[in-house]
Amino acid sequence: KYFQEIINYIKKEYLESLVNIKFNLDYKESLAEYKNHDLFILPSYGEPAAYSLVEAMANKLPIICSDDCGTKCYIREGENGCIFKHKDPIDLMAQIEQTIKTKESIEVMGAKSFRYAQVYHSLESFNQKFDKILKEI
């Protein structure tokens, strides 16, 4: 029912040429989507732990998510992305505008996302932290 409401809204507002909904993408298809875009936005709220933010970071994208997302801590405000007030489309729009004001700002934020993903969320980083925990035990 909810999906049909979205489809109806897209048609009513003549957004078919701008909105392309894709379902059940496999890993390779997901990577291709990241590479074909300049910005990653996770507009959901009540999201406990969206790993897609890290995937987007690893693909050199600035990221925007709500203040109600459990993984908002991956964003360093103004450095690799922005956080907007959940359920507030005006604030979301303001954060998008802030992030995309220049092509250079998008590239700088994307580069920082990539660096943060490498430093804090890579397999190597995980293994180092895990080894440290094991040694402490």
Side-chain angles (χ1 to χ4, degrees):
K1 181 179 175 182
Y2 180 67
F3 176 70
Q4 191 57 52
E5 287 178 29
I6 292 171
I7 296 299
N8 292 341
Y9 178 83
I10 292 168
K11 288 179 182 177
K12 178 183 166 202
E13 299 297 325
Y14 305 102
L15 299 171
E16 293 98 336
S17 65
L18 299 173
V19 177
N20 185 3
I21 299 174
K22 298 182 180 187
F23 293 97
N24 302 320
L25 300 178
D26 66 26
Y27 182 68
K28 287 183 180 181
E29 291 170 319
S30 294
L31 289 179
E33 288 299 317
Y34 291 124
K35 298 214 181 298
N36 287 328
H37 294 87
D38 295 320
L39 176 65
F40 181 81
I41 303 169
L42 183 67
S44 63
Y45 56 90
E47 187 78 48
Y51 194 72
S52 55
L53 294 181
V54 176
E55 291 175 343
M57 290 169 62
N59 282 280
K60 301 180 181 177
L61 296 176
I63 51 179
I64 297 176
C65 77
S66 78
D67 60 358
D68 196 37
C69 176
T71 49
K72 69 181 178 285
C73 59
Y74 297 159
I75 298 175
R76 292 200 168 103
E77 192 78 30
E79 291 185 31
N80 71 320
C82 299
I83 300 169
F84 71 96
K85 295 177 201 126
H86 69 285
K87 297 184 180 181
D88 186 342
I90 294 170
D91 190 41
L92 172 58
M93 185 174 18
Q95 298 306 324
I96 293 169
E97 289 172 350
Q98 177 68 24
T99 303
I100 65 169
K101 56 184 171 181
T102 67
K103 181 70 172 169
E104 182 181 318
S105 68
I106 293 170
E107 291 171 357
V108 168
M109 284 184 160
K112 287 182 180 179
S113 278
F114 182 67
R115 184 170 158 259
Y116 297 154
Q118 287 180 313
V119 171
Y120 300 108
H121 305 292
S122 67
L123 180 59
E124 181 180 333
S125 172
F126 172 82
N127 288 338
Q128 288 173 355
K129 290 173 188 172
F130 192 71
D131 286 343
K132 182 180 176 185
I133 291 169
L134 289 177
K135 287 176 184 174
E136 290 175 2
I137 295 176

